[in-house]
């Protein structure tokens, strides 16, 4: 079985080698370059291939990098098949274990052999064997994607981690959500392999939290008992101070410290945002709020399914910048009425955002909060910069005819905001519910990560409804859509977030376009 799979993996590597050879020779000018987009034509949308040798060479280098990445993934798949095949062969060759201790000794011998062959530690070899066993026995879609080169070895390891301790059906559902396009409610936005591993882990973990067989309330109660503050000395007169605490508290502290650090920035301030953030937190912890240090309130968005907010279902809520939280935590945040918390209700019909608190409707803050809700973070591919640190920006400049609507707005971090205004990187394709993708100076398109909104759970029918169903075989239907929800505008049309007259937070880089033009 593994022998045949290894042969198929080797055939994939051979095709990658052939394609890579064409790219490398094209980069060296030995053959006609092949740098074309999937639809055909020049990737940069300019001259036909061959008329600009330098552009063709640059495209060949990029195509070679992409093919090298696919070959690395295929090599990893071959490594998995070989490791799993050796483990199975060694087990067949060994005499039946007469005790658990003897079985453990046999496994140790296999691990030691693999470690010596690869010149790695036994711990690393043991992890490889464990992951090989998981991929070959329980994650066929993941192994197939790795062998096809559409995901990396890091992505495959993340799926092994996030499916650990799940029942086979739950593990298969998580894997299908990201790798099977025909799955019920598959992952939205760019494919799993086009997300950087860190962002893919966040999305996989969020989906796992929402669909874990053990309720998040139960798991949170157990984990909250382990909250603690840790101190670890380090080199050069430095130390690490970390806290393990409930997510809503941690998010509020982080956002408040970031806002205070932003307020201290200016021409006369030499400290970086990272340095200011830790200095502000240190001052607060050691002596309270010191003179000259702002003490702003945090601005945290919590997205709550309507029926979960009412206590009718146990679905997790989503805390901006963190992920799923227990519904009891979300209900407490909303009930406390804290100014730092903005609650976002979701539509019981499709899971889409329904409205942001009425106190912030039709004011500049609403636009920024909607962008935070839509994007979650800087929409540049792979960027993990949180929403609070990002800028509101027109995709198509107002001076060029761009409107002030949600579909023409982005919230890039300051680095990628500068990238947009000073280079040919261009954000495109934003909608009310989808972040903009990006087109590079070479004309290649890179999709942005999208939020995985899910239809919420409907509450179970009451007992009297169950009795009616049993008596006359009627189909129970969820309660009528409340008229009060129909009256809520969804930030569309004239005067809403898609209206030309909508307000926009001040662009902190208004002069970049003039600088570029000059």
């Amino acid at each position: 079985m593994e022998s045949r799979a290894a042969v198929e993996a080797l055939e994939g590597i051979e095709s990658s080698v052939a394609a890579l050879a064409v790219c490398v020779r094209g980069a060296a000018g030995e053959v006609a370059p092949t740098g074309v987009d999937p639809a055909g034509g020049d990737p940069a949308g300019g001259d036909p291939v061959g008329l600009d040798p330098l552009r063709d060479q640059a495209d060949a280098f990029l195509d070679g990098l992409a093919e090298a990445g696919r070959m690395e993934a295929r090599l990893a798949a071959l490594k998995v098949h070989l490791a799993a095949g050796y483990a199975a062969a060694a087990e067949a060759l060994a005499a039946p274990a007469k005790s658990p201790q003897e079985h453990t000794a046999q496994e140790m011998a296999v691990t030691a052999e693999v470690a010596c062959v690869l010149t790695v530690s036994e711990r690393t070899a043991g992890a490889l064997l464990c992951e090989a066993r998981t991929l070959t026995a329980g994650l066929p879609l993941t192994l197939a994607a790795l062998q096809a080169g559409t995901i990396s070895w890091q992505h495959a390891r993340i799926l092994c981690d996030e499916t650990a301790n799940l029942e086979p059906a739950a593990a298969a559902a998580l894997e299908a959500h990201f790798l099977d396009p025909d799955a019920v409610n598959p992952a939205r936005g760019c494919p799993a392999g086009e997300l950087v591993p860190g962002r893919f882990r966040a999305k996989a973990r969020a989906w796992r939290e929402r669909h874990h067989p053990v309720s998040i309330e139960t798991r949170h109660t157990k984990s909250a008992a382990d909250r603690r503050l840790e101190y670890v000395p380090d080199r050069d007169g430095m130390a690490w101070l970390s806290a393990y605490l409930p997510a809503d508290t941690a998010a509020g502290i982080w956002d408040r410290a970031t806002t205070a650090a932003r307020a201290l920035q200016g021409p006369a301030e030499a400290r970086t945002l990272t340095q200011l953030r830790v200095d502000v937190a240190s001052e607060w912890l050691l002596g309270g709020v010191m003179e000259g240090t702002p003490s702003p309130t945090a601005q945290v968005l919590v997205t709550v399914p309507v029926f979960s907010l009412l206590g009718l279902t146990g679905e997790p809520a989503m805390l901006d910048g963190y992920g799923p939280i227990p519904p009891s935590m979300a209900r407490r945040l909303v009930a406390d009425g804290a100014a730092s918390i903005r609650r976002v209700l979701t539509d019981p019909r499709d899971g889409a955002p329904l409205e942001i608190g009425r106190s912030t409707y039709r004011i500049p803050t609403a636009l920024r909060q909607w962008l935070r809700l839509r994007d979650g973070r800087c929409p540049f591919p792979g960027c993990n910069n949180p929403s609070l640190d990002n800028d509101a920006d027109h995709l198509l400049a107002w001076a060029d005819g761009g409107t002030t609507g949600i579909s023409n707005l982005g919230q890039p971090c300051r680095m990628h905001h500068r990238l947009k205004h000073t280079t040919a990187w261009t954000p495109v394709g934003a909608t009310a519910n989808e972040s903009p993708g990006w087109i590079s100076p070479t004309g290649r398109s890179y999709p942005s990560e999208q939020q995985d909104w899910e239809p919420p759970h409907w509450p179970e029918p009451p007992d009297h409804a169950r009795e009616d169903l049993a008596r006359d075989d009627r189909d129970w239907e969820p309660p009528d859509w409340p008229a009060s929800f129909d009256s809520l505008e969804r930030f569309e049309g004239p005067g809403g977030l898609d209206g030309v007259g909508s307000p926009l937070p001040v662009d902190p880089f208004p002069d970049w376009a003039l600088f570029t033009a000059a």
Side-chain angles (χ1 to χ4, degrees), residues 176-444:
H177 177 71
F178 292 101
L179 298 178
D180 184 357
D182 298 323
V184 177
N185 192 31
R188 298 174 176 84
C190 46
E194 295 183 19
L195 291 168
V196 297
R199 289 306 317 144
F200 175 62
R201 181 181 291 279
K203 290 180 75 71
R205 181 162 295 170
W207 196 91
R208 183 182 190 271
E209 288 291 316
R210 289 197 298 259
H211 298 269
H212 199 286
V214 180
S215 76
I216 193 171
E217 288 287 1
T218 301
R219 290 179 284 127
H220 173 69
T221 300
K222 180 179 179 181
S223 297
D226 296 329
R227 61 191 181 277
R228 58 190 178 274
L229 189 68
E230 294 183 347
Y231 166 72
V232 180
D234 205 344
R235 296 185 296 270
D236 305 322
M238 302 297 289
W240 292 96
L241 184 68
S242 59
Y244 182 66
L245 66 167
D248 59 329
T249 305
I253 293 171
W254 177 264
D255 286 353
R256 186 180 180 191
T258 299
T259 302
R262 283 281 190 216
L264 290 173
Q265 286 184 310
E269 179 55 71
R271 290 175 292 179
T272 66
L273 177 65
T274 300
Q275 292 169 338
L276 284 167
R277 188 186 284 119
V278 71
D279 290 349
V280 165
S282 299
E283 290 172 356
W284 286 345
L285 286 172
L286 289 175
V289 180
M290 298 181 67
E291 184 178 353
T293 301
S295 179
T297 58
Q299 290 295 316
V300 182
L301 291 180
V302 57
T303 307
V304 194
V306 171
F307 292 128
S308 181
L309 181 63
L310 297 176
L312 300 177
T313 65
E315 292 174 87
M318 295 293 290
L319 188 66
D320 180 44
Y322 172 78
I325 59 173
S328 62
M329 181 184 293
R331 286 193 289 269
R332 175 173 54 78
L333 291 174
V334 173
D336 285 348
S340 62
I341 300 297
R342 300 293 185 188
R343 63 98 174 93
V344 181
L345 299 181
T346 58
D347 194 326
R349 296 169 291 189
D350 57 12
L354 183 64
E355 58 100 359
I356 296 178
R358 303 300 290 181
S359 63
T360 62
Y361 186 59
R362 298 183 185 278
I363 61 174
T365 303
L367 270 171
R368 182 175 292 278
Q369 289 179 343
W370 189 265
L371 285 172
R372 290 175 63 187
L373 178 64
R374 186 191 70 183
D375 299 347
R377 58 195 53 79
C378 171
F380 191 86
C383 185
N384 201 37
N385 206 66
S387 295
L388 187 68
D389 295 348
N390 298 338
D391 305 322
D393 177 51
H394 285 87
L395 304 185
L396 177 63
W398 178 269
D400 295 331
T403 61
T404 305
I406 189 66
S407 58
N408 189 46
L409 293 177
Q411 55 142 10
C413 66
R414 299 201 168 185
M415 181 178 72
H416 291 122
H417 197 167
R418 292 188 184 97
L419 185 74
K420 175 206 165 189
H421 284 298
T422 57
T423 73
W425 278 93
T426 307
V428 294
T431 69
N433 295 313
E434 294 183 357
S435 308
W438 289 73
I439 296 179
S440 73
T442 63
R444 286 168 168 78

Side-chain angles (χ1 to χ4, degrees), residues 23 57-67 440 442 444 446:
C23 294
Q57 185 182 44
D59 287 332
F61 279 123
L62 287 174
D63 290 340
L65 279 174
E67 194 58 53
S440 73
T442 63
R444 286 168 168 78
Y446 298 96

